[in-house]
Every structure is written in structure tokens, then in C-alpha cells.
Amino acid sequence: MTTSDSGKDIPLRIAQNPEADELLGRSPLAALVGMLLDQQVPMEWAFTGPYTLAERMGSDDLDAGRIAAYDPDAFTELFTAKPALHRYPGSMAQRVQQLCQYLVAEYDGDASAVWRTATTGDELLERLKALPGFGEQKARIFLALLGKQLGVRPTGWREAAGPYGEAGSHRSVADITGPESLVEVRAYKQEAKAAAKAAKAAKTTKTPKAAKAAKAAKKPGTARKK
């Protein structure tokens, strides 16, 4: 999954940290864990997490079987030790452990097996959505990352990834290939968030006439006399 046709590791520049990106480029599980952590924290923080976790476990990679069997309290401590691996280290430690337990049960601990045998984009999307901690959007973004940067391209992968699979887009982590694209993706996310907030405000704001009628209805003596 994370090697090119020449057998070399695929270079990634998501974490903006050479060591962390090197791990993401050679470790399927690290890439999955990074995607899992990518919520409510800066993208660089999320995708540096797998590298920091591996360091704290005294290894140069992540092992699903080892994480799955780890004492839950001790595993949480790996996340909460300063600097914390996430804004919500306790809950994310639990989710990472649940993800690894699922991989052990369903894929013998081999993260790459999730996509290696998928023959269509739709099949791969369903497999990703079944992973603990992966909803519809996260699954589509990771599918786009697999296709755009890691060479995993089953039939229909762009369509299955939805807008995140569009060529030349700057919507998600799947489009980050360096500092400049990181800025573009972050700008897109901020614009999308602002637009969503404005749409929500517009939907919930009453028209002046409706607001006046609602205010009048609350006053005593405004009910119709029979």
C-alpha cells in the first residue's frame, strides 16, 4: 500500500514533520490512526500522533495486535502524557484501541488488508465506514488519500470518495502535499465552516414579521375572544 512500483516508500508531507511523514508513508496502520485522530485538532497535530505514539511505545512502527492487547489505562497514559497526543486524549486513546481491536478481529491485524483486496471504490468505502471511529466523511477523505497519494485506486474510487476525490481540489488532508497546499486546504476548511455557520444562522433567524407575531403571541390578552 505505501510503497511505489519501485518498492520505495511513498513520501508524504501531511504532518509537516519529516519523521512523522516518513512513518505515514510506510505504515498503513499509522496512516489509519492519523486519519482517526484528524478531528478537532490541526491536521499536522493529528498526523504527527502516530509517530509520537510509536515513540512512546518504544517502537519505530505501530502494531495493531500490541495496541489491541494493551492495558486500557496504560494506553490512555500514552495519550495524556505531555505533550498530549490530542485535544481529547482519553477518548481518542479508546478509539485507537477499538480500531486496532477491530483490525485484529477482521483483518488479522493487517491494516492494509482493508483496501488491498477491495475491487471497487464502493466496496472500499463500505470497509472504511465499518472501521471504529470512521464515519461517512472521514471514510471518503481517507479513500481519497489512498487514491491520490498512496496509489490505491480500485475501479470507481474517485466517485466513491465524492468531492474529496476530485482532481485538483484542496478540500482535505488528501490534497496536502506540502506547506503551500496545507495553507490552501486550511483556507478551504475555514471558508466552508464560515459558510455553514452563516447558513445555519440564516435558517434559524426569524423574519421581522414572524418575530413580531411571535412576540405578540406571548403577551397576555392577545388571544382571540370567542
Side-chain angles (χ1 to χ4, degrees):
M1 168 293 238
T2 53
T3 57
S4 64
D5 292 338
S6 64
K8 296 181 179 179
D9 294 338
I10 295 175
L12 294 179
R13 299 184 67 188
I14 299 172
Q16 308 296 301
N17 174 300
E19 292 82 7
D21 280 328
E22 188 275 334
L23 176 60
L24 294 172
R26 65 177 166 82
S27 171
L29 180 56
L32 268 182
V33 170
M35 188 72 246
L36 178 61
L37 296 177
D38 186 24
Q39 58 188 66
Q40 298 181 302
V41 296
M43 291 171 282
E44 309 97 300
W45 185 0
F47 282 89
T48 299
Y51 174 74
T52 305
L53 178 59
E55 274 197 319
R56 292 179 181 180
M57 295 183 75
S59 177
D60 63 353
D61 198 356
L62 298 179
D63 181 272
R66 185 182 176 196
I67 292 175
Y70 219 88
D71 175 77
D73 292 335
F75 192 66
T76 297
E77 289 179 5
L78 295 176
F79 272 70
T80 57
K82 295 182 179 181
L85 265 66
H86 197 273
R87 180 174 297 168
Y88 305 105
S91 61
M92 295 312 293
Q94 183 179 29
R95 290 186 183 183
V96 169
Q97 194 160 39
Q98 290 172 343
L99 170 64
C100 290
Q101 289 167 346
Y102 181 86
L103 291 174
V104 169
E106 300 295 329
Y107 296 99
D108 293 325
D110 181 4
S112 68
V114 175
W115 49 85
R116 192 174 58 246
T117 59
T119 58
T120 67
D122 287 339
E123 180 184 3
L124 177 51
L125 178 61
E126 291 306 310
R127 291 187 182 189
L128 291 170
K129 286 166 58 178
L131 298 175
F134 278 67
E136 180 87 22
Q137 184 182 47
K138 192 178 289 289
R140 290 184 186 276
I141 291 174
F142 191 75
L143 198 162
L145 175 62
L146 288 171
K148 289 182 174 182
Q149 298 201 47
L150 298 175
V152 179
R153 297 164 184 161
T155 302
W157 71 271
R158 285 191 186 276
E159 292 78 5
Y164 302 107
E166 294 176 1
S169 65
H170 291 92
R171 295 174 180 271
S172 72
V173 67
D175 302 308
I176 297 175
T177 56
E180 292 183 1
S181 54
L182 172 62
V183 172
E184 292 181 278
V185 170
R186 180 159 287 133
Y188 173 85
K189 285 177 171 288
Q190 291 173 342
E191 291 174 5
K193 185 177 181 180
K197 186 176 181 180
K200 183 178 180 180
K203 185 177 181 181
T204 56
T205 300
K206 297 178 180 179
T207 63
K209 185 177 181 179
K212 185 176 180 180
K215 184 177 181 180
K218 292 181 180 179
K219 293 182 178 180
T222 56
R224 291 184 178 179
K225 294 182 179 180
K226 295 183 179 180

